[in-house]
Amino acid sequence: MNSNAVIAIHGGAGTILRTSMSASAEADYHAALNAVLSAGQRVLADGGSALDAVSEAVRLLEDCALFNAGHGAVYTAAGTHELDAAIMDGRTLDAGAICCVKRVRNPILAARRVLERSDHVLFTGEGAEAFAIAQGLEFVDNSYFDTDARYRQWQLAREQQRPMLDHDAATLASTASNNDDPMPHEPIDPNRKFGTVGAVALDRHGHLAAATSTGGVTNKQVGRVGDTPLIGAGCYADDATCAVSTTGSGEMFMRMVAAYDVAAQMAYRQVSLEEAAHDVVMNRLPKIDGRGGLVAVDAQGNVTLSFNTEGMYRGFARLGEAPVTAIYR
Ligand code: ASP
């Protein structure tokens, strides 16, 4: 049994506006991250697989309105929600993903079913929903994903007539609102943050897994897909190297094949997880203006929580130890 079992999660990266942060909002984020890590830790402690731990962690993050995934997802230019998710098993390199779904309550569960019960890796839109229905997954009306905070971000992004990263739109909302309005007071400057969620884990059997889920970017064009559901861009896991989940400006993470690049650098350059993640996040992504970060774990249980923004909602938990959570650099 591997005694280094560990889970790490993120809930988005971005610019910190300490001035617009309320102590209670910060406490809410820490509490949410702690609860998710504790749940993941329990799965691992019970001998569950890394795949089970990351599925459960991301499902809980999707259900939490603080994060841009599942309930609390951002709005498209049409005022709807389109969700993307991916999951990968480092033991077998099996992977499953869905994108542009509108009614699947927990996209990560649909991605998991694709991994386990289909011959394919990625389903989109109606086909993805038909698959999820056939799998008996829970369906909701698209309005289930609505929240006032994201609606306000969308209105402001529309006024600016451009797509905005979740955190960018929220900062704008924060700036535009008055101090009596508690919603936009997020610890990370919401106009400059990326609210995707993700988890990586090493289980007691020595296996790795990664999962990522998102609503994408505020005011995105209908049909736009980012890095999150693309294996190798927003999510990657291989027992031989590491498990990675990313958050940030999706187009740049796609162009850099960011998650896979961390694993590839470990394999081909034989560098540590820390060094590979640092190179991708601090050297390569910034060359094309890629902003954001990632969480990753290797087969020895080393964890890295790396980001090139001012902050990233993040944390990790080792078996038998209290979870560690953080927001700022
Ligand atoms: N990477 C996500 C996307 O581009 C956004 C995010 O991380 O918040 O869809």
Side-chain angles (χ1 to χ4, degrees):
M1 281 287 175
N2 194 316
S3 56
N4 296 329
V6 62
I7 180 163
I9 61 172
H10 69 77
T15 300
I16 295 174
L17 253 191
R18 280 182 189 267
T19 48
S20 75
M21 167 190 81
S22 76
S24 75
E26 186 173 333
D28 287 348
Y29 277 96
H30 280 292
L33 293 169
N34 259 291
V36 172
L37 285 168
S38 299
Q41 217 175 14
R42 275 196 298 278
V43 172
L44 296 174
D46 291 346
S49 67
L51 201 61
D52 285 339
V54 297
S55 303
E56 179 61 1
V58 169
R59 184 187 71 79
L60 292 169
L61 288 161
E62 287 178 342
D63 282 352
C64 177
L66 292 174
F67 304 105
N68 169 25
H71 179 59
V74 298
Y75 287 76
T76 67
T80 55
H81 308 277
E82 294 186 349
L83 313 173
D84 309 328
I87 188 164
M88 186 160 184
D89 186 349
R91 188 173 63 88
T92 56
L93 300 189
D94 282 334
I98 49 96
C99 62
C100 289
V101 298
K102 296 181 186 152
R103 295 180 303 138
V104 181
R105 172 175 166 159
N106 290 107
I108 199 61
L109 298 184
R112 173 93 188 247
R113 294 296 176 93
V114 175
L115 180 156
E116 286 177 332
R117 304 198 189 162
S118 93
D119 295 332
H120 307 296
V121 169
L122 173 61
F123 284 105
T124 183
E126 285 174 18
E129 294 194 340
F131 175 81
I133 287 176
Q135 292 295 319
L137 293 180
E138 185 176 349
F139 268 58
V140 291
D141 192 84
N142 196 244
S143 62
Y144 160 80
F145 302 108
D146 288 354
T147 52
D148 291 344
R150 302 291 181 222
Y151 184 79
R152 203 154 45 234
Q153 290 170 14
W154 176 51
Q155 293 300 316
L156 288 158
R158 279 172 47 153
E159 281 165 24
Q160 303 246 324
Q161 293 190 319
R162 61 188 171 100
M164 295 178 93
L165 289 153
D166 164 46
H167 304 245
D168 291 342
T171 295
L172 191 60
S174 173
T175 320
S177 69
N178 65 49
N179 286 339
D180 299 334
D181 184 349
M183 294 296 293
H185 290 232
E186 300 182 35
I188 284 179
D189 172 352
N191 280 344
R192 303 233 173 261
K193 69 174 187 172
F194 313 94
T196 292
V197 305
V200 293
L202 167 69
D203 64 30
R204 296 175 68 186
H205 315 283
H207 299 303
L208 297 171
T212 315
S213 180
T214 192
V217 293
T218 296
N219 207 34
K220 66 183 180 182
Q221 281 184 40
V222 168
R224 177 269 186 188
V225 177
D227 58 322
T228 302
L230 301 184
I231 298 303
C235 180
Y236 194 74
D238 181 352
D239 278 4
T241 50
C242 62
V244 183
S245 172
T246 72
T247 177
S249 41
E251 281 70 10
M252 288 67 173
F253 281 68
M254 290 156 83
R255 290 159 58 198
M256 280 292 173
V257 201
Y260 178 70
D261 196 25
V262 177
Q265 291 206 31
M266 289 179 72
Y268 303 145
R269 286 212 299 134
Q270 313 219 317
V271 296
S272 68
L273 176 73
E274 185 72 35
E275 199 175 332
H278 181 90
D279 185 56
V280 171
V281 173
M282 299 303 190
N283 299 333
R284 294 178 58 74
L285 280 164
K287 283 188 185 139
I288 56 168
D289 211 18
R291 295 183 67 248
L294 57 83
V295 295
V297 58
D298 68 15
Q300 285 69 51
N302 296 303
V303 168
T304 185
L305 315 167
S306 183
F307 50 99
N308 61 28
T309 47
E310 285 79 352
M312 180 166 78
Y313 300 114
R314 64 196 186 277
F316 67 94
R318 297 189 183 279
L319 293 197
E321 294 177 18
V324 176
T325 61
I327 298 174
Y328 308 107
R329 185 171 291 288

